[in-house]
Amino acid sequence: MRWTIKPKPTQTDIDALSEALHVEGLIAQLLIQRGITNYDEAKKFFRPQLSDLHDPFLMKDMDVAVNRIQTAIANNENILIYGDYDVDGTTSVALISSYILGYYPNVATYIPDRYTEGYGVSFQGVDFAEDNGFTLIIALDCGVKAIDKVAYAKKKGIDFIICDHHRPGENLPDAVAILDPKREDCQYPYDELCGCGIGFKLIQALAAHRGETIDHLTPYLDLVATAIGADIVPMTGENRVLAHFGLQVINSNPRIGFKAIIDKIKKPKLTITDVVFIIAPRINAAGRMDHGQHAVNLLTETDMERAKIVAAKIEKFNIDRRSLDNEITQEALLQIRENNEEERFTSVVYHETWHKGVIGIVASRLTETYYRPTLVFTKSGTKLAASARSVKGFDVYNALQGCADCIEQFGGHKYAAGLTLLEEQFEAFKAQFEKVVSESIDPNLLTPEIAIDAQIGFHQITPKLLRIIGRFTPFGPGNLAPVFMGDHLMDTGYAKGVGENGAHLKLSVTQHGVGPVGAIGFNLGGKLPLVSQRKPFSAVFSLDENEWKGNVSLQLKLRDLR
């Protein structure tokens, strides 16, 4: 692990914000590091308001999209809501379909089959629209690169409205409207929305034309918050506002489908982390193991008994998914070792029988062992399909562009992408990807980094500090939970390994006589010798609450120690 202390703002800036907000210098420092430099910005940060959301009509083509939907309704056209099979896609489809169905009945949903159609808009989906009399398709979380499919639909008299957040290619599809803040000609003030976030902007615009206020749309924010968490978009700007209010809905009045999942979790209040690790994997499991339509059915269900049946089916998918991704991860790690590829700049593995639904998870797991850009391939029809994952600071999408001559099709983001290629291209691609990455990556990026906000002393760690940091939530990229470093720490003699095979480390720590403070280090059991026999050590940690038998105490959540 590389420990990197973030640059400290100037003392003048810290003092000015500290005085303006009547907070300690440490809090002012943490806020400035998150881009908050004055009273008004801090007010928006600590007290998000739905009124902080931007006017949806600032987005390029929004007026055209709204007019086309209104025309479809006036002409009694059939509208097909089409979305990707992951969390962002299925929540988007649930969002748009349930909103429009609230006042117009001729609406149906379509999720492509991961295995027979693959990612995004498919020719099969367009054929389905034609066969069933749909003349307007609203594509969500996909479509910005579907030039041939949109042209194919146009020949059949079917219009497209595309709501996507992926980077466009050089040319755009010939759609009626393309809502994508990453378009170079789009001046929308915030370009980090997920697909469901762009879907929400569309219903915000539709609602404005219907004379509805933003408050009418609050019940849909549980879907948006889930997509924001699952798609790992920055927790800044509009995303933070939408996630903040979406979590309130999840914890107070969630839709029936979420309730069917949440009721099995004995937790009084869910955080965005719970949404990411409890709700999102279950929604994803439907598309991974069977079909994403199950997820849409659950998210739009209004009868609790039926929702419980769908939720139980999805729970089974998730259990199967966990077993499968563990098994394939072990096979992939073995393949790397057998090929003597432990010291490469990249991990590129392939087996024709690996389940396409979990290769993205396996790619993420491999980066935990070999921290480097990673691709996991499997057979998909006559071609090979892969999921790519990167490391912090390295743009895997750009690296794939450098291998374009060996690839049939690819798309995605800086840190995650998907691609297909012909089987005979695999070895050439593997060599080219290793070459591109080895020539362009900063070697430091191949060691995981812990970014530290501040070095602090135990005398600064108080319930008040923890309470104020609690108001920094929801956490996510761009607004991560504050991470601190402490020096000259000493265990009180309590240190022990806990959990299976002592995998985790439990301590009681003092610093210069201040303390003790309880500490837990998940997967740090191997560091026990470093802290035993009262040897001094340094640690990187975040602050947390530990609840045990009704007692709540402050504890350090250790990230690393040395």
Side-chain angles (χ1 to χ4, degrees):
M1 285 281 190
R2 279 183 297 134
W3 294 11
T4 307
I5 299 180
K6 294 179 188 174
K8 186 177 178 180
T10 67
Q11 197 58 47
T12 306
D13 288 344
I14 291 173
D15 291 344
L17 189 61
S18 178
E19 189 176 328
L21 303 181
H22 305 294
V23 295
E24 292 175 13
L26 178 59
I27 295 296
Q29 175 180 333
L30 296 172
L31 290 170
I32 294 168
Q33 286 169 327
R34 282 154 183 75
I36 293 136
T37 58
N38 58 49
Y39 177 85
D40 289 337
E41 289 170 352
K43 185 179 175 186
K44 283 188 174 183
F45 183 78
F46 285 119
R47 295 181 193 157
Q49 305 290 329
L50 288 171
S51 56
D52 295 337
L53 297 176
H54 303 301
D55 177 353
F57 289 99
L58 294 174
M59 197 176 290
K60 174 86 173 166
D61 281 358
M62 184 63 80
D63 52 345
V64 186
V66 169
N67 289 339
R68 181 64 186 89
I69 292 167
Q70 288 178 319
T71 300
I73 291 170
N75 294 338
N76 217 32
E77 294 178 56
N78 294 330
I79 304 172
L80 186 64
I81 314 298
Y82 188 115
D84 190 25
Y85 37 66
D86 68 0
V87 175
D88 198 13
T90 52
T91 53
S92 300
V93 168
L95 173 86
I96 298 286
S97 63
S98 56
Y99 178 75
I100 299 178
L101 278 168
Y103 60 94
Y104 180 67
N106 299 359
V107 176
T109 63
Y110 189 96
I111 304 290
D113 185 281
R114 184 188 282 260
Y115 305 103
T116 60
E117 296 169 80
Y119 164 79
V121 179
S122 69
F123 290 115
Q124 196 174 319
V126 174
D127 289 340
F128 173 88
E130 182 188 32
D131 294 345
N132 292 280
F134 292 95
T135 48
L136 176 62
I137 297 175
I138 302 175
L140 298 150
D141 190 35
C142 61
V144 80
K145 282 184 151 187
I147 293 170
D148 50 350
K149 279 87 170 184
V150 172
Y152 180 69
K154 193 165 187 176
K155 283 182 187 167
K156 296 173 179 293
I158 300 168
D159 285 340
F160 259 91
I161 292 170
I162 292 168
C163 305
D164 204 348
H165 69 121
H166 298 94
R167 288 192 219 177
E170 281 184 37
N171 299 308
L172 293 172
D174 186 15
V176 171
I178 300 173
L179 308 178
D180 187 341
K182 290 192 175 72
R183 285 178 65 165
E184 286 190 5
D185 59 350
C186 182
Q187 301 303 310
Y188 191 72
Y190 187 71
D191 68 355
E192 295 290 359
L193 292 165
C194 62
C196 194
I198 292 168
F200 184 80
K201 300 310 293 187
L202 177 57
I203 69 167
Q204 193 185 346
L206 290 168
H209 267 255
R210 289 170 46 77
E212 295 173 344
T213 67
I214 194 76
D215 294 328
H216 286 97
L217 305 180
T218 305
Y220 298 95
L221 291 176
D222 53 357
L223 292 168
V224 186
T226 302
I228 287 168
D231 229 51
I232 322 178
V233 288
M235 196 62 77
T236 57
E238 280 193 307
N239 282 340
R240 193 163 177 277
V241 176
L242 294 166
H244 172 86
F245 287 99
L247 281 169
Q248 287 185 0
V249 177
I250 287 169
N251 283 306
S252 60
N253 190 25
R255 64 192 49 246
I256 294 291
F258 280 154
K259 199 164 177 1
I261 295 173
I262 294 165
D263 281 355
K264 298 193 172 188
I265 306 159
K266 302 293 182 269
K267 201 161 186 210
K269 187 177 180 184
L270 298 186
T271 65
I272 197 75
T273 305
D274 297 320
V275 170
V276 171
F277 290 103
I278 296 171
I279 295 178
R282 285 161 173 78
I283 297 170
N284 249 335
R288 292 186 189 284
M289 305 305 294
D290 192 85
H291 202 288
Q293 189 62 45
H294 294 298
V296 175
N297 294 345
L298 179 65
L299 297 174
T300 53
E301 185 55 73
T302 54
D303 178 86
M304 190 56 170
E305 291 311 308
R306 286 200 298 266
K308 283 179 180 174
I309 293 167
V310 182
K313 189 183 288 185
I314 283 176
E315 183 64 31
K316 170 74 166 60
F317 292 147
N318 193 46
I319 291 165
D320 292 346
R321 185 272 308 164
R322 272 203 299 256
S323 164
L324 205 55
D325 82 56
N326 285 335
E327 183 184 312
I328 294 171
T329 299
Q330 293 310 311
E331 291 175 9
L333 288 169
L334 180 62
Q335 190 178 118
I336 290 169
R337 290 194 296 272
E338 286 182 342
N339 291 341
N340 296 315
E341 293 174 344
E342 297 99 320
E343 301 304 319
R344 286 167 62 98
F345 285 86
T346 64
S347 296
V348 180
V349 291
Y350 162 60
H351 196 283
E352 63 180 15
T353 65
W354 286 344
H355 197 291
K356 191 178 173 188
V358 300
I359 56 174
I361 301 173
V362 172
S364 295
R365 297 245 193 277
L366 293 183
T367 63
E368 293 168 12
T369 303
Y370 299 106
Y371 190 72
R372 59 201 189 190
T374 297
L375 285 106
V376 178
F377 280 86
T378 188
K379 194 80 178 275
S380 179
T382 58
K383 297 178 182 176
L384 305 190
S387 274
R389 295 293 182 269
S390 192
V391 295
K392 185 181 175 186
F394 186 76
D395 193 325
V396 73
Y397 184 92
N398 283 349
L400 291 174
Q401 279 184 315
C403 306
D405 54 335
C406 305
I407 298 175
E408 290 283 291
Q409 194 179 357
F410 75 99
H413 305 287
K414 181 176 182 178
Y415 292 129
L419 66 144
T420 56
L421 47 75
L422 302 174
E423 190 157 8
E424 56 266 29
Q425 294 174 307
F426 175 73
E427 291 300 337
F429 168 81
K430 184 172 178 176
Q432 178 76 350
F433 186 65
E434 173 73 11
K435 183 173 185 288
V436 167
V437 173
S438 66
E439 290 174 353
S440 59
I441 197 166
D442 176 345
N444 285 326
L445 298 181
L446 298 171
T447 304
E449 177 191 44
I450 300 181
I452 299 160
D453 289 273
Q455 186 165 348
I456 62 172
F458 275 17
H459 65 282
Q460 294 171 277
I461 300 174
T462 62
K464 182 182 178 185
L465 176 66
L466 185 61
R467 193 168 64 249
I468 295 174
I469 287 174
R471 293 183 59 198
F472 281 41
T473 58
F475 295 127
N479 180 41
L480 295 170
V483 174
F484 303 108
M485 181 178 121
D487 277 338
H488 307 294
L489 309 184
M490 203 172 282
D491 178 62
T492 59
Y494 178 78
K496 61 183 178 181
V498 296
E500 192 175 341
N501 299 320
H504 314 306
L505 184 63
K506 199 162 176 57
L507 306 167
S508 176
V509 188
T510 62
Q511 183 192 50
H512 302 308
V514 180
V517 180
I520 182 78
F522 293 107
N523 298 310
L524 292 178
K527 304 259 185 180
L528 181 59
L530 281 179
V531 301
S532 56
Q533 297 169 342
R534 299 179 62 79
K535 293 181 213 158
F537 62 93
S538 300
V540 177
F541 53 86
S542 52
L543 301 180
D544 200 11
E545 276 186 343
N546 180 39
E547 192 169 338
W548 178 249
K549 294 183 178 177
N551 296 319
V552 178
S553 60
L554 193 151
Q555 75 171 358
L556 311 182
K557 194 171 178 183
L558 301 173
R559 304 289 184 89
D560 195 21
L561 42 89
R562 55 169 72 143

